[in-house]
Amino acid sequence: RLPGFADLHPLQPISTIQGVLGVIHELAEWLIALTGMHSVAMAPKAGAHGELCGILCIRAALDARGESNRRVLLVPESAHGTNPATAAFAGYSVENIPATPDGRVDTAALTARLGPDIAGVMITNPNTCGLFERDMKAISDAVHAAGGYVYCDGANFNAIVGRVRPADLGIDAMHIN
């Protein structure tokens, strides 16, 4: 509700909102640097909206590759609760991947399920138990080798920001709350 931000109107002349656009552009540059991604979308309004944006981008990338047959998303038990709903809303079949006894993704179960119908995996890192997925890079490499994409739920991004860039872990798309 800061002055200069609170009363903006979407149909306002662009010449009158240059300061706001500058702030948005600077934030986008910071997020690119922190995540290692090549670009960001600033339009999503909430975490679930960002998830949907990312999953639809993955679907568009698969369709552009001519791989519309990839319509299954793997969602580990340790992922954020909105992930299966987002995947289903985007038109994917959702398959659960179990957790190991220590609360992390069962990498063996995930890699065993990879195949030509898999669009990718939706993973939360750190996961909903607050645990960093130690095998994140290996998971990403396996999913990529099978032709899929890696989506990261960034609800817990504050726990890793400045320590590791998600793109360096093989993450293709993510949202940040």
Side-chain angles (χ1 to χ4, degrees):
R1 305 302 309 160
L2 293 172
F5 288 89
D7 297 323
L8 293 176
H9 190 278
L11 299 179
Q12 204 168 321
I14 300 250
S15 63
T16 66
I17 59 168
Q18 290 304 300
V20 170
L21 292 175
V23 168
I24 292 169
H25 178 74
E26 187 172 2
L27 175 58
E29 287 181 341
W30 292 348
L31 293 174
I32 289 168
L34 292 169
T35 62
M37 301 290 174
H38 61 81
S39 59
V40 297
M42 300 299 281
K45 306 293 185 234
H49 190 206
E51 275 182 29
L52 182 60
C53 178
I55 293 302
L56 291 177
C57 286
I58 288 171
R59 188 165 100 184
L62 288 166
D63 290 348
R65 285 189 342 204
E67 297 186 42
S68 299
N69 59 310
R70 292 182 178 270
R71 289 295 188 239
V72 176
L73 275 173
L74 304 177
V75 181
E77 288 178 352
S78 59
H80 198 262
T82 58
N83 293 173
T86 298
F89 187 79
Y92 285 99
S93 296
V94 179
E95 291 187 20
N96 185 51
I97 298 297
T100 60
D102 71 351
R104 291 180 171 86
V105 174
D106 184 333
T107 305
L110 186 140
T111 55
R113 179 53 188 93
L114 293 174
D117 61 333
I118 300 298
V121 62
M122 291 184 82
I123 198 162
T124 304
N125 191 29
N127 68 30
T128 54
C129 300
L131 302 170
F132 183 77
E133 294 293 346
R134 291 186 283 243
D135 297 326
M136 190 66 235
K137 183 68 170 106
I139 290 169
S140 295
D141 290 347
V143 172
H144 291 152
Y149 288 96
V150 178
Y151 178 84
C152 182
D153 185 310
N156 299 334
F157 182 60
N158 60 330
I160 62 171
V161 68
R163 296 185 173 272
V164 65
R165 296 180 330 153
D168 296 339
L169 298 175
I171 292 165
D172 300 301
M174 69 181 298
H175 79 276
I176 301 170
N177 289 23

